[in-house]
Amino acid sequence: MIQSVQRAGSIRKAAEDMNITASALTRRVLQFEEDFGAPIFERLPRGVRLNAAGELLIQHMRSQEHDLARVRSLVADLSGERRGRVTIACSQALIPYFLPRQISLYRRDHPGVTFKVSVRDRVAAERDLSDFSSDLALVFEPMHLVDFEVLMDVPQPVHAILPADNPLARKSELRLRECLAHTHVIPTAPYGVRHLLDIAAKRRGHELRPIIEAESFELMRHYVLYENAIAFQLPIGLNPESHPRIAIRPISQKDLPAGRLLLGQMRGRALPVASARFAVQLATALEELRDDMAGIA
């Protein structure tokens, strides 16, 4: 009930979702607050929101729910059912190739396990861990790392994406200045690639003058074909064979040092069995990727 009101932002909307009257839900909320011993909602002109006590209560509820899910996962594992649910927050770069492959490999051996995948920027991914919305996070250049327990750390150099017939595609490596002198599209501020571009451009005295700022890496990857533009992305999210009209070239790390792709969980949290096992699989796959990149370098 409390979580329904919190998600809806108003008692009226929550009552509609629960198929009860607003007055009945109001009485339930007031009774709960009386039993709890303190108000948990701030009453606003157009709804309600949790106060400090309510935030603590919701955090406790989510913690209890996830503890119960972990116990259920342990019991299922003991009984041989191998069921469970893995929730993961991840950067966009992991969506096209890496994560689908890893999930399919895991489900081949554990078909009873289901997944919830949430695409998140580097701030939202950490928030998902702290409020128990996700068990794991796989994110590029996370911002705070206060409650982020790193399970694996993999370098990811930023690559330029450009039409295969662009003269710059003849080079094996590009300099940042020649990319920015060209028509370019870049991610919006919350994303790790943009964070690295901002730092590198400032350090080198360059200026970002994008024709498009976008939240979608897929949009940027495809747009380069329409206006002979340059976009920027991580190699883990790219497959040259899937885009024969697109060239993918690394940007010199003299200009743009590699960023960090981190696999992590909330510090000190005991994960459900399915999530803990999937974390081990992901860490192994990322370690192999890191070794392959070191070999290439």
Side-chain angles (χ1 to χ4, degrees), residues 197-226:
L197 285 170
D198 283 338
I199 292 175
K202 184 176 181 180
R203 183 186 299 123
R204 292 281 173 175
H206 304 319
E207 188 174 356
L208 298 174
R209 293 183 176 178
I211 58 168
I212 296 175
E213 294 181 66
E215 296 183 352
S216 169
F217 283 87
E218 184 175 6
L219 181 150
M220 292 182 283
R221 184 170 65 248
H222 286 89
Y223 190 81
V224 302
L225 295 174
Y226 288 88

Side-chain angles (χ1 to χ4, degrees), residues 131-262:
D131 67 12
F132 297 93
S133 297
S134 295
D135 300 327
L136 301 169
L138 191 50
V139 62
F140 185 62
E141 286 292 303
M143 182 171 287
H144 302 298
L145 293 175
V146 176
D147 295 317
F148 194 104
E149 180 179 342
V150 178
L151 305 177
M152 182 56 64
D153 184 339
V154 181
Q156 283 283 286
V158 178
H159 281 48
I161 307 169
L162 63 163
D165 58 0
N166 186 305
L168 290 178
R170 300 170 190 164
K171 298 185 176 184
S172 60
E173 182 181 80
L174 302 181
R175 301 303 299 264
L176 181 60
R177 65 175 178 273
E178 57 192 356
C179 293
L180 297 183
H182 203 282
T183 302
H184 54 277
V185 298
I186 62 175
T188 53
Y191 292 94
V193 170
R194 172 64 179 273
H195 172 65
L196 294 182
L197 285 170
D198 283 338
I199 292 175
K202 184 176 181 180
R203 183 186 299 123
R204 292 281 173 175
H206 304 319
E207 188 174 356
L208 298 174
R209 293 183 176 178
I211 58 168
I212 296 175
E213 294 181 66
E215 296 183 352
S216 169
F217 283 87
E218 184 175 6
L219 181 150
M220 292 182 283
R221 184 170 65 248
H222 286 89
Y223 190 81
V224 302
L225 295 174
Y226 288 88
E227 198 175 337
N228 191 24
I230 292 180
F232 305 91
Q233 200 166 332
L234 306 180
I236 199 170
L238 299 169
N239 181 358
E241 296 178 0
S242 299
H243 305 283
R245 298 170 57 203
I246 290 177
I248 300 168
R249 299 291 183 266
I251 298 175
S252 172
Q253 293 192 38
K254 296 177 183 177
D255 301 331
L256 190 61
R260 302 165 66 201
L261 177 65
L262 301 185

Side-chain angles (χ1 to χ4, degrees), residues 77 80-84 101-115 274 277-278 281:
D77 195 61
E81 294 178 7
R82 299 194 178 197
R83 297 186 181 276
R101 172 172 170 74
Q102 293 305 316
I103 291 175
S104 67
L105 289 173
Y106 188 89
R107 280 186 39 79
R108 182 185 62 190
D109 297 327
H110 308 287
V113 174
T114 60
F115 283 77
R277 287 180 172 174
F278 188 58
Q281 178 185 307

